[in-house]
Amino acid sequence: MFRYTKKTFLREALLILVALIFLLPFYFLINLALKNGNDALTTSAMQLVTNPTLDAFGQAIRGGRQATLMDGMLNSVIITAGSVLVLVAVGSISAYTLSRRTGKLSKVAMGLILVTMVLPAQAAIIPIYVGMRNVGLVGTHAGTIIMYAGALLPISIFLYMGFTNGIARDYEEAAQIDGASRFTVFRKIIFPLLSPATGTVAIFTGLIVWNDFFTGLIFLNGSDAVTLPVVIYNFVGESVSQWNVIFAAIIISMIPILAFFLVAQKQFIQGFTGGVKS
């Protein structure tokens, strides 16, 4: 029988304290975004807003000389969704193929994949930029999706491998006896069983792509495909003294990816724990 002891109380108090510390930046963010321009400059960030207003959110949505916040959000959605779809499709098939082939070539390929995971992507930024510029992919949605897919594919394969190695081959053998092709087996049997890993790959890589600033600044700044982090960066330069508007823009940029995480968090947790257990 569970007993509520002094140690239990101390653990709960400690966890509540840690949670409050993590929530403190969100308090500053929301508190300043709800203030008007004068209050944001003259009052402390800790001081609770007395006359909350949503004017800063309206200014954030309308503001931006190069690109509006909504333009950046649309571009980020297109690039993030496209990158995740490619990573899920290619990563799952690649992981399944590598897990079912036990030859030396597959082991070498897996070793190379693990090596690429620890190499800094910035080391290859110049040749990547030159190559993309030569084929006309700089400043485009398609070029950025291809680049993100190539950079994050090793992570996608690694996450899927933890699940594909744990799936028994009995399902595949039974389907192949009935005349199903290898691709049909993967599409109708294996891929549905990989749904927790798919959720993990989608959230993990989606967060990386959505929040990435460096790639968007180098490859997309000044183009029609500029992403949300770069729009906010340019927006800060235009509204350097309007902290309530800047913080409102940051809050707006967090809403889509936060909503996606809340919807798919169960698959995200199952993906990590399932992969570790296998």
Side-chain angles (χ1 to χ4, degrees), residues 158-257:
F158 178 77
L159 292 173
Y160 272 116
M161 283 289 289
F163 269 80
T164 53
N165 288 334
I167 297 177
R169 303 194 182 195
D170 298 343
Y171 303 106
E172 305 167 51
E173 294 173 355
Q176 288 174 348
I177 291 174
D178 291 338
S181 64
R182 180 61 63 91
F183 181 73
T184 301
V185 171
F186 172 79
R187 182 170 57 88
K188 293 188 175 181
I189 298 176
I190 302 300
F191 188 73
L193 295 175
L194 296 175
S195 57
T198 300
T200 302
V201 170
I203 294 176
F204 191 71
T205 59
L207 284 171
I208 294 175
V209 175
W210 182 270
N211 294 320
D212 183 42
F213 168 73
F214 180 76
T215 302
L217 182 66
I218 299 298
F219 292 89
L220 300 174
N221 195 19
S223 68
D224 294 333
V226 63
T227 53
L228 194 56
V230 181
V231 172
I232 293 177
Y233 169 74
N234 294 327
F235 190 73
V236 170
E238 299 171 10
S239 309
V240 65
S241 62
Q242 297 177 299
W243 288 107
N244 58 332
V245 179
I246 294 171
F247 280 32
I250 295 173
I251 292 174
I252 293 172
S253 69
M254 292 168 53
I255 292 175
I257 199 67

Side-chain angles (χ1 to χ4, degrees), residues 57-218:
F57 291 89
Q59 295 179 42
I61 294 174
R62 295 189 301 269
R65 290 191 297 267
Q66 296 184 16
T68 66
L69 206 63
M70 293 298 102
D71 293 333
M73 184 172 293
L74 178 61
N75 290 328
S76 288
V77 169
I78 294 173
I79 292 173
T80 303
S83 301
V84 168
L85 287 174
V86 174
L87 288 167
V88 168
V90 179
S92 58
I93 294 175
S94 301
Y96 172 67
T97 303
L98 289 173
S99 67
R100 291 301 184 260
R101 296 185 181 276
T102 57
K104 292 183 179 180
L105 187 60
S106 62
K107 293 181 180 179
V108 172
M110 193 61 201
L112 292 174
I113 289 172
L114 294 176
V115 169
T116 57
M117 290 178 61
V118 299
L119 293 176
Q122 290 79 5
I125 200 70
I126 294 177
I128 291 175
Y129 184 88
V130 172
M132 290 182 61
R133 184 189 61 187
N134 291 338
V135 295
L137 290 177
V138 173
T140 65
H141 293 131
T144 311
I145 291 172
I146 293 172
M147 185 173 58
Y148 276 126
L152 297 175
L153 187 59
I155 298 177
S156 176
I157 294 174
F158 178 77
L159 292 173
Y160 272 116
M161 283 289 289
F163 269 80
T164 53
N165 288 334
I167 297 177
R169 303 194 182 195
D170 298 343
Y171 303 106
E172 305 167 51
E173 294 173 355
Q176 288 174 348
I177 291 174
D178 291 338
S181 64
R182 180 61 63 91
F183 181 73
T184 301
V185 171
F186 172 79
R187 182 170 57 88
K188 293 188 175 181
I189 298 176
I190 302 300
F191 188 73
L193 295 175
L194 296 175
S195 57
T198 300
T200 302
V201 170
I203 294 176
F204 191 71
T205 59
L207 284 171
I208 294 175
V209 175
W210 182 270
N211 294 320
D212 183 42
F213 168 73
F214 180 76
T215 302
L217 182 66
I218 299 298

